[in-house]
Amino acid sequence: MIKKYITLSIFILTALSGRGYTQVKIGNRPDIIHPRAILQVEHHTKGIMLPVVENHTELPNYNASESDLYENRNEDNGLVFYNKEIKDVVKYDGYRWMPATEKSLKNYTNVSILGSNAPDQVVANVLGITGRPTLQFNILNDMDRNNINNLGLIINPSGEITIPSGGFYRINPSVKTSSAGGLSVGNAATIISLQALYTNASGDGWQKIHENSFLLYGLVVTAGSSNSINSFSITKYFHAGDQIRLRAGIQADTGLNLGTGVTFKMSDKDTFLYIEKLK
C-alpha cells in the first residue's frame, strides 16, 4: 500500500512538472475526466478521507486568547477539516472556522452591520431637560465584531447614513447603555430614535420613523450604575439617496428626574446597527 502512494505521488509530480498543466483521475474510468477538473476521484465503494481533528482546539490558527478563539489568517482561507467534536466538515474563511453548511457572513451581499469606535456619549436629564445627540457609527469591516458593509452604505461626519439603492430594508439598532444613577422619583428610560431625511421630501426635514424606550429605574431613588441594551427592529421602504440617523437620550417616563444620567457605550460589541435589504 505504501508503494502505491509513493508511485502516485511521483506520477502526479512528474506530470505537473513535465507539462506545466495536466489533469489527474483516481479510481474508476481513469481515461474519462471532467474537462474542468484538475483532480477527480471516482469510485462507488470508496471515498476521500479528509484531515481529522478531535475538537476545535486542534484546528489551525486556534488561539484561546482571541475573542473568537482563532487568529485571522486570510492566506488560509479555504482550508477544510473534519471535526469529530461536532461531527461535521469545517471550513476556514480567513477569520474563523465554521461548519461547511454555514454561510460566511461575508457572503451576505444584502447586509451591512455597522459598529462604532466613537467615544461614549454621555447624556444627563436635569429637571426633564436633555439633549439627543446623533450616535456615530463607522464603516469598520471588522470580522472579529461581525462588522461588514456589503451594502456599500455611506456615513458622513455627522453620523448620517445614506441608503444607496431603493427597496425595503430591515433595520435593527442595538445600543448598550450604562446608567449613572441620580435622583429618580418615578421611572426614567433611555430613548433611541431612528429618523429619516427623504430625498423626495427634504423640505420637511428629519422625520421620526420609530422610537424605542427602555425602562431604567424603578420608583423612588436610584444610585450607582447598571448596564442595559436598547434595541428594536423595523421594516421600511427607502429610495436611493434617503438618509437615516440614530439619536439617543434619556427622559422621565413618569414622575420627576433630577440629574439622572446615562452613557451610551459606542465601542461596545453590543452596540451596532444592522441593516438588511430585503429581496
Side-chain angles (χ1 to χ4, degrees):
M1 187 64 71
I2 295 176
K3 182 178 180 180
K4 290 182 181 179
Y5 289 153
I6 295 174
T7 302
L8 177 61
S9 300
I10 293 174
F11 166 74
I12 293 174
L13 290 173
T14 302
L16 291 175
S17 60
R19 298 178 60 184
Y21 169 79
T22 190
Q23 295 174 287
V24 177
K25 177 72 175 289
I26 300 174
N28 298 337
R29 302 186 301 168
D31 55 329
I32 301 176
I33 188 169
H34 192 281
R36 298 187 63 82
I38 187 70
L39 173 65
Q40 182 178 351
V41 178
E42 180 181 343
H43 207 282
H44 301 303
T45 60
K46 293 181 174 62
I48 298 175
M49 181 64 73
L50 293 174
V52 177
V53 295
E54 294 293 328
N55 56 64
H56 67 282
T57 65
E58 296 181 357
L59 289 166
N61 303 323
Y62 173 78
N63 186 339
S65 64
E66 295 287 336
S67 59
D68 63 354
L69 300 181
Y70 300 103
E71 297 174 355
N72 297 342
R73 298 286 178 85
N74 195 55
E75 64 271 19
D76 291 345
N77 189 351
L79 283 178
V80 177
F81 280 79
Y82 182 81
N83 186 349
K84 286 186 176 181
E85 182 181 28
I86 63 173
K87 297 180 174 61
D88 201 352
V89 174
V90 292
K91 58 184 179 180
Y92 186 71
D93 69 350
Y95 298 91
R96 59 177 62 85
W97 287 93
M98 63 183 68
T101 52
E102 181 179 331
K103 192 174 181 181
S104 172
L105 188 62
K106 295 186 296 182
N107 296 329
Y108 288 91
T109 57
N110 60 324
V111 170
S112 287
I113 304 176
L114 306 179
S116 178
N117 56 12
D120 292 345
Q121 284 276 5
V122 179
V123 179
N125 186 326
V126 181
L127 294 175
I129 302 173
T130 179
R132 288 198 180 182
T134 298
L135 300 183
Q136 181 73 55
F137 291 91
N138 309 100
I139 308 297
L140 297 178
N141 291 317
D142 184 350
M143 288 300 296
D144 286 337
R145 295 179 57 176
N146 289 326
N147 294 151
I148 56 173
N149 186 28
N150 292 341
L151 287 172
L153 302 172
I154 299 172
I155 307 177
N156 67 23
S158 298
E160 298 156 356
I161 302 163
T162 300
I163 302 296
S165 60
F168 281 96
Y169 287 81
R170 178 182 293 117
I171 302 179
N172 172 208
S174 172
V175 181
K176 187 170 184 178
T177 62
S178 175
S179 60
L183 175 60
S184 176
V185 183
N187 295 325
T190 59
I191 302 293
I192 55 174
S193 178
L194 183 65
Q195 303 175 352
L197 183 65
Y198 301 109
T199 55
N200 58 359
S202 57
D204 296 334
W206 287 90
Q207 302 177 40
K208 181 171 65 178
I209 301 175
H210 184 83
E211 189 167 281
N212 196 66
S213 61
F214 185 91
L215 189 65
L216 286 178
Y217 308 110
L219 298 176
V220 198
V221 179
T222 63
S225 63
S226 60
N227 293 324
S228 60
I229 295 175
N230 193 337
S231 66
F232 63 85
S233 179
I234 63 114
T235 300
K236 179 76 175 175
Y237 186 90
F238 293 101
H239 294 91
D242 286 349
Q243 291 181 294
I244 60 172
R245 68 185 182 187
L246 193 67
R247 289 199 152 181
I250 183 173
Q251 71 179 26
D253 186 55
T254 61
L256 176 66
N257 287 264
L258 302 175
T260 54
V262 65
T263 299
F264 294 91
K265 313 289 288 184
M266 295 306 300
S267 60
D268 194 276
K269 289 186 177 182
D270 286 327
T271 295
F272 59 84
L273 186 57
Y274 175 94
I275 303 175
E276 176 187 2
K277 185 178 183 183
L278 304 178
K279 299 295 187 180

